[in-house]
């Protein structure tokens, strides 16, 4: 089958590999010359991924029969709608269904209207005066979010990124005046305390088929310090749970996702494609932090490396609206992913620097390499402002998968930064201990 894949990051490299593994001829549209995608795809076009007309034209010219869109920007621009209109079944949500990610106010209102469990207190405000009033009502235990897309970087947690009421109001003023995230609106929401986790699910408009739980690490520096980023690395456990997450809690989070898919259907915004749920596991169970209308990045690298079924078939079934649990099985293994990023990533990335990737060395260590936002020029790989390379280890335990990744990382060099603490035993033990305390009611 001829399949179009849109996007040029490591998430999309993992998508392209999974499609090719299931025998498809992949055609890619991406803005950067990702060497991994360029090599595996039968053809590719360097293009602005938001340019619906050009992407659809390319898909048509290649006789594409199915499409998958990786990043959120093109979903917001209506790329799935354009592809579907051109008669190409698409395993990614329409612009309307993607509002679950592209509008945080839409998401919070949807959950509250349909009384989905896991909802939290929130206020939607459009002015500094309303923001001040909302702060008086909710108190300082809150998080400030521009309603639109900010690549995970617009969210400010009070007590961490913003310390005083004045700081919150000043940030509000900035969001309103600069229209950060594309509109002059803020969602102020209750600050949740617990451990974060991700569950991704294949959705066909009605049903959800969940994947193993993953934990990402958004902070740029070791010890979960520093600015929020797109994600620095992630891990998953052999049984699909996490060291601090039990089966009942996992099921409760999946139920929330199924209810959201049901709510979207009732709102005439059928959701077909991969859905990403980010939850805070609290004393009361999982609570919704956000939804994404696509795979997570890095989390896609964990689950797609573990996928033991035909990914093309899964995408077809999502697009057709008839997926079942039998369509998706995963290896009984743990996975660890660490991102190699340019020095300064999170504040001011060193873009345009050469990085040396010894692919053979990485694969000899038993690890999988996914190229991210890099550009290949004359056989050399150069950084951009975003993340560079994802390295994944698969093994029976998180511990040995982590060691595989660390060995593989010795084969990548340049002006780069890696969070080596991700998935190390000490870190996992600390999370389990912290969650036990939270369960006992001690924050
Ligand atoms: P988001 O872009 O919504 O994923 O937010 C980025 C990060 O901000 C999350 O990974 C959390 O660490 C933090 N965050 C977002 N919402 C909340 C919340 N309601 N309570 C506590 N932390 C949050």
């Amino acid at each position: 089958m001829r399949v179009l894949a849109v996007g040029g990051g490591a998430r999309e490299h993992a998508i392209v590999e999974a499609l090719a593994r299931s025998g498809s001829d992949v055609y890619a549209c991406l803005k950067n010359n990702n060497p991994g995608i360029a090599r595996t795809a039968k053809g590719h076009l360097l293009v602005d991924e938001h340019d619906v007309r050009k992407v659809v034209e390319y898909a048509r010219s290649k006789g594409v029969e199915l499409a998958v869109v990786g990043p959120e920007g093109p979903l917001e621009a209506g790329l799935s709608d354009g592809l579907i209109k051109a008669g190409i079944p698409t395993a990614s949500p329409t612009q309307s269904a993607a509002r679950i990610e592209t509008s945080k106010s839409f998401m919070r209102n949807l959950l509250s209207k349909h009384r989905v469990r896991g909802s939290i207190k929130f206020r939607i405000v459009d002015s500094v005066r309303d923001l001040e009033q909302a702060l008086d009502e909710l108190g300082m235990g809150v998080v400030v979010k521009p309603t639109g897309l900010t690549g995970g970087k617009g969210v400010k947690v009070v007590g961490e990124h913003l310390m005083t009421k004045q700081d919150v109001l000043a940030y509000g003023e900035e969001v309103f005046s600069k229209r950060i995230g594309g509109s002059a609106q803020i969602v102020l929401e209750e600050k949740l305390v617990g451990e974060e986790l991700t569950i991704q699910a294949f959705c066909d408009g009605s049903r959800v088929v969940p994947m193993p739980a993953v934990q990402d690490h958004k902070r740029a520096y070791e010890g979960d310090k520093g600015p929020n980023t797109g994600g620095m690395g992630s891990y998953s456990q052999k049984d699909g749970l996490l060291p601090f997450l039990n089966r009942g809690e996992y099921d409760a989070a999946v139920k929330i996702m199924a209810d959201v898919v049901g709510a979207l259907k009732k709102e005439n915004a059928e959701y077909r494609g991969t859905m990403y749920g980010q939850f805070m596991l609290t004393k009361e169970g999982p609570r919704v932090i956000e939804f994404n209308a696509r795979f997570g990045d890095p989390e896609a690298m964990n689950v797609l490396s573990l996928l033991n079924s035909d990914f093309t078939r899964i995408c077809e079934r999502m697009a057709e609206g008839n997926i079942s649990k039998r369509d998706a099985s995963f290896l009984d293994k743990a996975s660890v992913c660490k991102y190699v990023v340019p020095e300064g990533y999170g504040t001011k990335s060193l873009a345009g620097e050469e990085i040396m990737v010894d692919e053979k060395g990485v694969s000899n260590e038993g690890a999988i390499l996914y190229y991210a936002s890099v550009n290949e020029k004359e056989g050399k790989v150069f950084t951009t402002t975003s993340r560079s390379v994802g390295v994944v280890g698969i093994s029976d335990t998180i511990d040995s998968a982590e060691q595989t990744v660390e060995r593989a990382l010795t084969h990548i060099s340049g002006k780069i930064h890696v969070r080596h603490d991700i998935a190390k035993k000490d870190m996992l033990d600390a999370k389990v201990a912290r969650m036990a305390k939270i369960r006992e009611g001690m924050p």
Side-chain angles (χ1 to χ4, degrees):
M1 178 172 274
R2 294 168 158 246
V3 187
L4 175 78
V6 179
R11 167 183 51 210
E12 289 78 19
H13 185 192
I15 289 173
V16 167
E17 292 296 340
L19 290 168
R21 228 167 31 233
S22 53
S24 291
D25 288 345
V26 185
Y27 293 88
C29 282
L30 66 173
K31 62 177 182 304
N32 53 304
N33 193 22
N34 179 316
I37 295 177
R39 203 179 308 150
T40 302
K42 282 268 173 239
H44 69 276
L45 176 71
L46 294 181
V47 65
D48 173 3
E49 298 151 8
H50 301 82
D51 191 330
V52 176
R53 195 182 55 79
K54 280 197 183 143
V55 175
V56 172
E57 216 170 81
Y58 178 73
R60 274 200 167 135
S61 75
K62 296 296 175 192
V64 155
E65 300 150 277
L66 176 70
V68 190
V69 182
E72 61 278 21
L75 296 172
E76 187 179 42
L79 182 56
S80 298
D81 309 67
L83 290 161
I84 292 165
K85 220 162 150 194
I88 300 168
T90 300
S92 296
T94 59
Q95 195 175 45
S96 169
R99 282 178 299 164
I100 193 79
E101 168 169 12
T102 59
S103 168
K104 290 185 199 290
S105 53
F106 170 82
M107 185 276 276
R108 289 289 174 210
N109 282 329
L110 181 83
L111 265 67
S112 115
K113 178 176 169 191
H114 293 268
R115 299 180 190 281
V116 176
R117 282 192 71 136
S119 300
I120 61 173
K121 284 188 217 142
F122 70 96
R123 297 283 185 282
I124 297 166
V125 294
D126 302 297
S127 70
V128 174
R129 218 187 61 199
D130 290 352
L131 178 60
E132 189 165 13
Q133 191 184 334
L135 262 184
D136 289 341
E137 286 165 17
L138 295 184
M140 288 294 280
V142 287
V143 179
V144 188
K145 301 182 173 184
T147 200
L149 294 177
T150 59
K153 293 149 203 153
V155 173
K156 305 277 182 208
V157 180
V158 176
E160 289 177 45
H161 308 105
L162 305 171
M163 302 318 278
T164 64
K165 188 170 171 181
Q166 275 324 306
D167 292 346
V168 176
L169 297 179
Y171 182 55
E173 176 64 47
E174 195 187 340
V175 173
F176 297 135
S177 61
K178 294 188 185 155
R179 301 175 68 84
I180 294 177
S183 64
Q185 192 174 66
I186 279 177
V187 180
L188 190 73
E189 58 185 45
E190 176 188 350
K191 177 174 161 181
L192 301 162
V193 179
E195 275 299 323
E196 283 179 51
L197 64 110
T198 300
I199 298 180
Q200 300 165 101
F202 298 120
C203 308
D204 71 352
S206 312
R207 284 162 290 249
V208 305
V209 175
M211 303 179 226
V214 184
Q215 189 177 43
D216 178 22
H217 297 74
K218 291 220 183 283
R219 299 305 192 91
Y221 313 134
E222 301 207 341
D224 283 330
K225 304 250 162 39
N228 271 327
T229 70
M232 295 296 295
S234 48
Y235 65 89
S236 71
Q237 191 172 278
K238 188 180 163 117
D239 58 3
L241 304 175
L242 293 165
F244 55 84
L245 174 75
N246 66 38
R247 178 67 59 192
E249 292 160 341
Y250 173 87
D251 290 345
V254 171
K255 170 79 169 62
I256 291 171
M257 295 179 77
D259 289 348
V260 167
V261 168
L264 284 166
K265 191 172 182 178
K266 285 192 193 136
E267 299 287 331
N268 290 320
E270 258 199 15
Y271 191 101
R272 296 182 183 197
T274 299
M275 184 184 278
Y276 165 113
Q278 195 190 357
F279 299 92
M280 188 74 85
L281 183 59
T282 69
K283 187 171 181 296
E284 287 80 32
R287 293 285 175 268
V288 173
I289 295 181
E290 69 164 351
F291 288 103
N292 290 336
R294 46 162 175 101
F295 279 108
D297 188 352
E299 294 94 326
M301 289 185 271
N302 297 85
V303 294
L304 289 174
S305 301
L306 292 170
L307 184 67
N308 204 13
S309 318
D310 184 318
F311 184 54
T312 303
R313 186 84 198 105
I314 290 174
C315 290
E316 262 187 292
R317 287 193 174 263
M318 284 195 282
E320 284 165 5
N322 66 347
I323 201 157
S324 96
K325 268 213 160 80
R326 288 190 307 278
D327 293 321
S329 75
F330 295 86
L331 296 175
D332 269 337
K333 299 272 183 195
S335 70
V336 171
C337 173
K338 296 198 192 192
Y339 248 126
V340 174
V341 302
E343 265 180 25
Y345 177 64
T347 47
K348 199 170 185 307
S349 295
L350 272 186
E353 293 286 335
E354 188 187 353
I355 54 170
M356 276 62 69
V357 182
D358 172 3
E359 292 186 10
K360 259 233 159 69
V362 171
S363 80
N364 285 343
E365 303 291 358
I368 308 167
L369 181 82
Y370 294 111
Y371 283 101
S373 295
V374 289
N375 270 308
E376 187 178 52
K377 280 181 226 147
E378 290 155 13
K380 292 180 175 176
V381 177
F382 295 91
T383 60
T384 64
T385 54
S386 194
R387 298 167 291 182
S388 309
V389 181
V391 177
V392 176
I394 304 284
S395 193
D396 282 326
T397 63
I398 295 173
D399 204 28
S400 67
E402 196 272 337
Q403 288 169 27
T404 301
V405 173
E406 284 296 333
R407 285 196 308 272
L409 284 168
T410 62
H411 301 281
I412 301 174
S413 57
K415 290 183 178 160
I416 54 175
H417 165 64
V418 177
R419 265 191 65 177
H420 293 288
D421 63 336
I422 290 171
K424 284 230 164 38
K425 192 172 180 308
D426 288 354
M427 187 188 223
L428 300 185
D429 289 348
K431 285 173 189 290
V432 171
R434 178 162 176 260
M435 201 58 229
K437 272 193 171 168
I438 289 171
R439 284 199 178 90
E440 286 163 20
M442 294 183 280

